[in-house]
């Protein structure tokens, strides 16, 4: 089993925080391993912000709080301006959550990098197996007592954000009592969210990230090793590419930069297989992505996963709708490509040791990793054969 050996090496880094020196060193390690296998490798360097999980809603929350508080001082022109600024803030936040490539952070940028097995524009159909390199900060948000309530916290927090422009509108309509009540509730929730996020950002420390996402990265490396040494098992008209992204934890920045640079080299029917958090729990595939704008996973990718799930003993593989926080598959789907995410979760949809300091190699299920390595190699092989067979069917129709 190759994946556990790669994981041991990746886990030697204290952390691989997004856009940090350790993340870049881990990317270099991955590139060296791929070159050792015989791949020609491209390193795509880019600049991005850090800690967007905390900083982005924090910056919008502070701006909305200021606009809401200022609107208590009635001035028709200023209140209209405050409304416009509030709506723009919420619009930027929605844009960030949509998976589209648009920079919404005002914070300083730092160096990050993607590692890609080189490919050219061609008529060959492509499968891209992807995993992110970086790790997230563990914080109060992900403590075992709070993490299960995270969806509720974000829903209430974003409701508070939304109430502020609504309250301003009531004020502009001279419905002052309703305006004060709505603004008061919105400001109270927003202030609580600001304090919560600020506490998380200041008190947070990067995790070792053996599960998230040392496990996915290690499995992608193991699949890459198998592929290059067993190409005779794969159809000639399908090419498998391997992509290791930086700064996924800051809003899928690595994947967004990859798509921005390489989108024109990819056919629209390119299939993305994203590997994330695969070190503990039960092998799971997601039916879609998105907290606000839900996007379905690729139909053929789901069909093959369904087919394999039925062939394995009951309960060994499961599928779920989506996660609260997106994976690298969200920008893939938002850009019109087909994608699917494989992840490991318990029966209730919880990711074990999620963004917490217990996310170390000691808590990795090596038996699960071995099983997933075999399953995912078979999955990539079946997807490639399904694509090849579709090519042949289309060719026959043309004749």
């Amino acid at each position: 089993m190759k994946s556990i050996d790669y994981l041991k090496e990746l886990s030697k880094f204290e952390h691989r925080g997004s856009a940090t020196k350790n993340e870049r060193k881990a990317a270099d390690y991955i590139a060296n391993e791929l070159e050792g296998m015989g791949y020609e490798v491209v390193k795509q360097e880019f600049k991005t912000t850090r800690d967007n999980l905390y900083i982005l809603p924090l910056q919008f929350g502070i701006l909305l709080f200021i606009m809401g508080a200022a609107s208590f001082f009635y001035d028709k022109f200023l209140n209209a301006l405050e409304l416009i600024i509030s709506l723009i803030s919420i619009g930027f936040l929605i844009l960030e959550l949509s998976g589209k490539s648009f920079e919404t952070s005002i914070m300083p940028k730092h160096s990050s990098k993607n590692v890609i097995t080189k490919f050219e524009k061609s008529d060959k159909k492509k499968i891209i197996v992807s995993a992110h390199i970086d790790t997230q900060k563990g914080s109060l948000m992900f403590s075992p007592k709070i993490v299960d309530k995270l969806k509720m916290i974000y829903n209430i927090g974003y409701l508070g954000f939304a109430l502020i422009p609504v309250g301003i509108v009531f004020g502009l309509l001279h419905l002052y009592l309703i305006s004060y009540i709505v603004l008061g509730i919105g400001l109270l929730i927003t202030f609580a969210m600001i304090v919560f996020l600020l506490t998380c950002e200041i008190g947070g420390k990067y995790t070792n990230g053996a599960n998230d996402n040392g496990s996915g990265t290690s499995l992608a490396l193991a699949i890459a090793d198998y592929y290059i040494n067993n190409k005779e098992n794969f159809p000639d008209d399908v090419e498998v590419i391997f992509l290791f992204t930086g700064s996924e934890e800051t809003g899928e920045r690595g994947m967004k930069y990859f798509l921005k640079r390489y989108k024109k080299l990819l056919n629209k029917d390119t299939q993305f297989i994203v590997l994330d958090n695969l070190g503990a729990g039960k092998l799971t595939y997601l039916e879609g992505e998105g907290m606000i704008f839900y996007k379905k996973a690729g139909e053929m990718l789901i069909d093959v996963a369904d087919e394999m799930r039925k062939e394995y003993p009951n309960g060994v593989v499961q599928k779920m709708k989506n996660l609260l926080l997106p994976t690298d598959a969200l920008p893939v789907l938002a850009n019109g490509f087909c994608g699917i995410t494989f992840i490991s979760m318990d029966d209730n949809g919880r990711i074990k040791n999620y963004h917490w300091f217990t996310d170390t190699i000691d808590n990795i299920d090596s038996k699960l990793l071995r099983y997933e390595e075999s399953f995912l190699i078979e999955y990539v092989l079946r997807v490639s054969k399904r694509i090849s067979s579709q090519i042949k069917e289309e060719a026959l129709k043309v004749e």
Side-chain angles (χ1 to χ4, degrees):
M1 180 176 66
K2 296 271 187 179
S3 50
I4 192 65
D5 298 322
Y6 296 128
L7 183 56
K8 285 175 182 175
E9 291 301 314
L10 287 167
S11 297
K12 288 178 181 178
F13 293 99
E14 183 183 357
H15 67 80
R16 302 179 304 282
S18 307
T20 62
K21 188 176 181 179
N22 278 10
E23 183 207 52
R24 295 190 294 275
K25 284 183 176 179
D28 290 338
Y29 160 74
I30 291 164
N32 290 337
E33 288 296 323
L34 291 168
E35 286 170 344
M37 294 173 198
Y39 288 98
E40 194 174 346
V41 172
V42 175
K43 294 178 187 178
Q44 182 191 15
E45 299 191 7
F46 58 93
K47 294 275 190 179
T48 186
T49 50
R50 294 173 181 163
D51 303 339
N52 286 347
L53 177 64
Y54 306 110
I55 296 295
L56 279 177
L58 186 59
Q59 73 180 27
F60 292 128
I62 290 170
L63 185 58
L64 285 163
F65 184 84
I66 292 170
M67 293 301 103
S71 72
F72 277 104
F73 301 96
Y74 180 73
D75 180 287
K76 193 170 184 179
F77 172 76
L78 288 177
N79 289 163
L81 183 62
E82 288 151 5
L83 175 62
I84 291 167
I85 293 171
S86 297
L87 290 173
I88 290 171
S89 298
I90 290 173
F92 278 156
L93 186 57
I94 291 171
L95 190 61
E96 178 65 37
L97 296 170
S98 72
K100 293 291 185 181
S101 183
F102 190 87
E103 186 54 71
T104 56
S105 176
I106 60 171
M107 301 305 288
K109 292 186 176 182
H110 306 270
S111 296
S112 183
K113 66 173 75 171
N114 294 330
V115 178
I116 311 148
T117 55
K118 190 175 180 181
F119 65 97
E120 305 291 342
K121 184 173 179 63
S122 69
D123 292 332
K124 272 192 175 185
K125 303 297 183 181
K126 293 176 178 63
I127 299 169
I128 298 182
V129 178
S130 176
H132 73 87
I133 304 164
D134 58 318
T135 59
Q136 181 59 273
K137 273 186 176 178
S139 69
L140 176 66
M141 183 184 294
F142 297 105
S143 66
K145 292 182 180 178
I146 292 179
V147 70
D148 286 342
K149 302 177 180 69
L150 202 53
K151 185 174 182 179
M152 179 188 72
I153 290 169
Y154 267 96
N155 285 341
I156 293 172
Y158 287 158
L159 173 63
F161 288 5
L163 286 176
I164 289 173
V166 172
I168 296 173
V169 168
F170 281 124
L172 288 168
L173 295 173
H174 306 291
L175 300 169
Y176 299 118
L177 180 59
I178 298 173
S179 174
Y180 293 153
I181 292 170
V182 172
L183 277 171
I185 295 169
L187 287 168
L188 186 64
I189 294 171
T190 300
F191 180 75
M193 195 68 174
I194 289 168
V195 172
F196 177 66
L197 290 166
L198 203 54
T199 302
C200 292
E201 168 60 17
I202 293 170
K205 292 182 180 179
Y206 290 116
T207 64
N208 177 256
N211 187 32
D212 188 8
N213 184 34
S215 59
T217 301
S218 300
L219 283 162
L221 282 168
I223 298 167
D225 182 72
Y226 178 86
Y227 174 68
I228 202 165
N229 288 298
N230 297 274
K231 278 195 173 182
E232 69 278 4
N233 296 336
F234 291 80
D236 294 332
D237 48 4
V238 179
E239 179 182 10
V240 183
I241 298 154
F242 296 88
L243 165 64
F244 299 84
T245 59
S247 297
E248 184 267 358
E249 300 287 3
T250 62
E252 310 86 51
R253 290 303 190 266
M255 182 61 81
K256 288 174 181 176
Y257 274 98
F258 169 79
L259 291 169
K260 189 176 181 180
R261 167 66 181 82
Y262 289 96
K263 186 176 181 179
K264 291 180 180 178
L265 297 181
L266 301 173
N267 299 323
K268 270 298 179 185
D269 55 3
T270 298
Q271 309 288 321
F272 285 77
I273 301 168
V274 176
L275 310 180
D276 202 345
N277 277 284
L278 285 156
K282 186 183 290 185
L283 180 58
T284 307
Y285 56 98
L286 302 180
E287 296 178 279
E289 294 275 343
M291 180 180 178
I292 294 178
F293 302 106
Y294 182 74
K295 296 185 179 298
K296 289 183 179 180
E299 185 178 349
M300 185 267 288
L301 294 169
I302 288 288
D303 285 346
V304 177
D306 285 342
E307 176 186 284
M308 289 183 67
R309 178 171 60 91
K310 289 170 186 174
E311 292 174 10
Y312 282 72
N314 288 339
V316 173
V317 182
Q318 62 182 356
K319 68 175 174 179
M320 292 195 175
K321 187 177 179 182
N322 66 323
L323 302 175
L324 170 65
L325 300 176
T327 74
D328 267 341
L330 179 61
V332 167
L333 298 172
N335 277 274
F337 293 103
C338 293
I340 190 172
T341 294
F342 283 91
I343 195 165
S344 289
M345 311 165 83
D346 67 17
D347 293 327
N348 298 311
R350 297 189 191 94
I351 300 170
K352 294 191 176 182
N353 306 303
Y354 187 47
H355 294 168
W356 196 239
F357 306 109
T358 51
D359 185 5
T360 63
I361 197 164
D362 295 333
N363 290 315
I364 292 292
D365 184 343
S366 58
K367 185 179 177 183
L368 173 68
L369 209 63
R370 183 168 60 249
Y371 166 79
E372 289 170 336
E373 186 175 322
S374 173
F375 181 98
L376 291 168
I377 287 171
E378 175 65 19
Y379 179 78
V380 174
L381 181 59
R382 288 200 195 187
V383 169
S384 68
K385 288 180 177 179
R386 180 76 68 91
I387 294 169
S388 181
S389 146
Q390 288 174 350
I391 294 168
K392 290 179 176 64
E393 287 172 10
E394 287 169 10
L396 286 171
K397 286 177 185 176
V398 171
E399 290 176 6

